[in-house]
Amino acid sequence: MTVKEILRELKALSDPGSLEGMARFGIKTSRAYGVSVPALRRLAKRAGKNHVLARQLWQSGIHEARILAGMIEDPREVTERQMDRWARDFDSWDLCDQCCSNLFDKTSFAYQKAVEWSGRKEEFVKRAGFVLMAVLAVHDKKASDRQFKGFFSLIKRESTDQRNFVKKAVNWALRQIGKRTRPLNKIAIQTAEELSLLDSPSSKWIARDALKELTSKSVQHKWRLSSGGR
């Protein structure tokens, strides 16, 4: 498939009703068609992995084309420079999250960028850092607890950021890491309790929401069934 063919197909799948819904959820629609993620996944399956095509789709600037680019890009071909360039282009939470969970977390730079981007000023670049922490906790089954322990200090450091899309990503990272293993759960709960003592509305919200899940019966029951966890 060529970039022209894909853009033509995306336009044909355009749904004005979906665009209205996207706008309500804070997604910019000036360069969007309103194509669903399942439809994009079907298109990605047909296109296959293609580094050149992914780059062309990203350069189009079309919202769904960029999400699709993250689906068909080969993580082995991705450079650190490309990751930085794409992250700077993030202009909505869904593009950020899709790109991180479909592509960036599978690159060799994932942990490095999670740390680096967590300290950036740009809202969606910083969000990407914490989204990476969250999705790595779910997707990287072979990682050790040690690879995640260093994230807790970053979560605490950035928990005072009041911006909605940042604080929600910080919260997401804390919850997902805290559900990975029993030892990490204990550290996550301790971290959340420390956040609750900070003089920051966002820190307190993150703590309250995270503790509700991390101390829940369903999560704690998981550890009781896992023979003491890892």
Side-chain angles (χ1 to χ4, degrees), residues 50-57 73:
N50 190 317
H51 176 64
V52 174
L53 182 56
R55 184 181 60 194
Q56 293 171 336
L57 287 169
E73 176 62 286

Side-chain angles (χ1 to χ4, degrees), residues 25 56 58 91 116 119 125 146 152 160 205 212 214 216:
F25 282 98
Q56 293 171 336
W58 192 272
D91 60 359
E116 181 181 322
V125 179
R146 182 174 56 82
F152 288 114
T160 58
W205 176 84
K212 183 177 180 181
L214 295 173
S216 66

Side-chain angles (χ1 to χ4, degrees), residues 7-228:
L7 292 177
R8 187 162 53 243
E9 188 162 343
L10 288 175
K11 192 170 184 179
L13 291 169
S14 179
D15 181 359
S18 293
L19 285 174
E20 293 176 5
M22 290 167 65
R24 286 196 298 272
F25 282 98
I27 300 171
K28 292 184 178 180
T29 59
S30 59
R31 301 204 68 185
Y33 291 141
V35 183
S36 69
V37 170
L40 292 176
R41 293 197 186 283
R42 290 191 292 270
L43 188 53
K45 188 174 182 179
R46 287 166 48 204
K49 296 296 183 183
N50 190 317
H51 176 64
V52 174
L53 182 56
R55 184 181 60 194
Q56 293 171 336
L57 287 169
W58 192 272
Q59 290 173 342
S60 75
I62 301 299
H63 184 74
E64 288 85 357
R66 285 183 163 177
I67 292 177
L68 182 61
M71 293 177 176
I72 70 169
E73 176 62 286
D74 186 341
R76 296 170 299 181
E77 298 270 5
V78 175
T79 64
E80 183 178 358
R81 183 178 179 183
Q82 179 183 345
M83 289 179 72
D84 286 328
R85 185 170 63 249
W86 283 23
R88 287 195 299 269
D89 286 338
F90 290 160
D91 60 359
S92 66
W93 61 267
D94 67 324
L95 175 58
C96 170
D97 296 3
Q98 287 290 333
C99 197
C100 287
S101 61
N102 293 326
L103 176 63
F104 285 173
D105 69 325
K106 299 172 182 63
T107 69
S108 59
F109 306 103
Y111 286 89
Q112 173 189 334
K113 290 303 173 185
V115 173
E116 181 181 322
W117 291 344
S118 70
R120 292 285 289 272
K121 293 182 178 180
E122 305 96 320
E123 183 173 14
F124 291 111
V125 179
K126 177 179 275 192
R127 178 182 174 89
F130 289 100
V131 172
L132 273 177
M133 296 179 198
V135 296
L136 284 168
V138 176
H139 295 164
D140 192 353
K141 305 299 184 182
K142 296 181 179 180
S144 66
D145 283 3
R146 182 174 56 82
Q147 290 176 267
F148 293 95
K149 287 180 179 179
F151 291 154
F152 288 114
S153 62
L154 304 178
I155 287 170
K156 186 174 182 179
R157 185 190 72 191
E158 302 301 336
S159 69
T160 58
D161 194 316
Q162 302 282 359
R163 291 175 293 181
N164 189 50
F165 293 123
V166 173
K167 74 175 185 180
K168 286 189 174 181
V170 174
N171 171 267
W172 186 12
L174 180 59
R175 289 185 293 107
Q176 292 304 118
I177 297 172
K179 291 187 294 181
R180 183 176 170 88
T181 67
R182 188 173 187 176
L184 288 175
N185 177 258
K186 291 181 177 180
I187 301 174
I189 290 174
Q190 180 182 348
T191 300
E193 290 173 342
E194 292 173 358
L195 296 187
S196 69
L197 301 177
L198 297 180
D199 185 20
S200 165
S202 62
S203 298
K204 293 182 183 301
W205 176 84
I206 291 168
R208 183 169 60 252
D209 188 76
L211 284 170
K212 183 177 180 181
E213 181 171 10
L214 295 173
T215 62
S216 66
K217 290 182 179 180
S218 60
V219 171
Q220 292 304 312
H221 184 60
K222 173 184 177 181
W223 308 132
R224 288 195 291 272
L225 292 178
S226 64
S227 300

